Amino acid sequence: MKSTIAILLLGTVLAPAAVSAADLSVPLPAPAPIPAPTPMARWTGLHLGAGAGIASTKLSMSNRSVLDFYWDCAGPGPCQTNRYGSSGSIDGRSVFATLDIGYDVQIDRFVLGLGANVDLSNGAGGKVSVDKSVPGIPFPNGSAFQGSGHVGNGMTAYVRGGVLVTDTSLLYALGGYSVATARLDGRFGAGDTSLFYLWSGGVRGRASATLSGPTVGVGFEQMLTDRVSLKLEYRYTDLGGLTATGKTSSGNCNCYVFTARSRTQMDVTTQSVRAVLSYRFDL
């Protein structure tokens, strides 16, 4: 009897210890993971870049000239007025270096930005010589319109917006406003030997100005590292027009006098492709 009681008492003492030991063998639940901080958007910030490109520039020229003849006729006005016209175009090629600055903001999968660039060009231009008339306007035998034009350095301010194709690649469109230097030289009637025999060198007009107009384009930009990106871009620019006017007069001993007025218009459009390597700042 005493042995039974002793065994029961011993079991009562050891049971809590056994339960505690069993509790220690049960694995504790893993702690909840701590969320990683969201990284700063890599596309947000200031960027500076430099690159190069090629441009195709079209110079579309048109000339309208008026000759007023005076000889033995009554009245103060001209006895005869002749009107002439011609047109032609130049397709010029050039290469340029470009400097680019801008600021982008990333919003989810979209990127919006402002920017500006300066293009330093070797210039696009050439000469055109036309010996045919515009339909409906007669052109004298031997006379010709000769024009030359040139477009030089320019700059553009633009906005752009695009979508991230991947975290490191951006497809975008842009729109902006461009300016560029230009000059024009137009001459009419220099080669005539029948109608303009009193006229040495024809009538000439020259002009130079800074042209301006809208720019649109599309591009693709790829992050090469966390700080460096490369973009390829196509642009179309309409720079408007430039006008040159000239006037001259001549006569002979028989009191045969004429005056000549000439107006040459040059319209400029440009297509360009550029590659720009940029460095990005967290600003």
Side-chain angles (χ1 to χ4, degrees), residues 260-271:
R261 305 185 305 276
S262 181
R263 181 180 185 273
T264 303
Q265 173 77 20
M266 181 177 72
D267 297 317
V268 181
T269 58
T270 297
Q271 299 183 70

Side-chain angles (χ1 to χ4, degrees), residues 134-161:
V134 172
I137 302 178
F139 209 84
N141 294 330
S143 61
F145 163 67
Q146 298 173 347
S148 64
H150 182 273
V151 178
N153 300 331
M155 63 185 300
T156 301
Y158 62 86
V159 296
R160 72 171 184 168

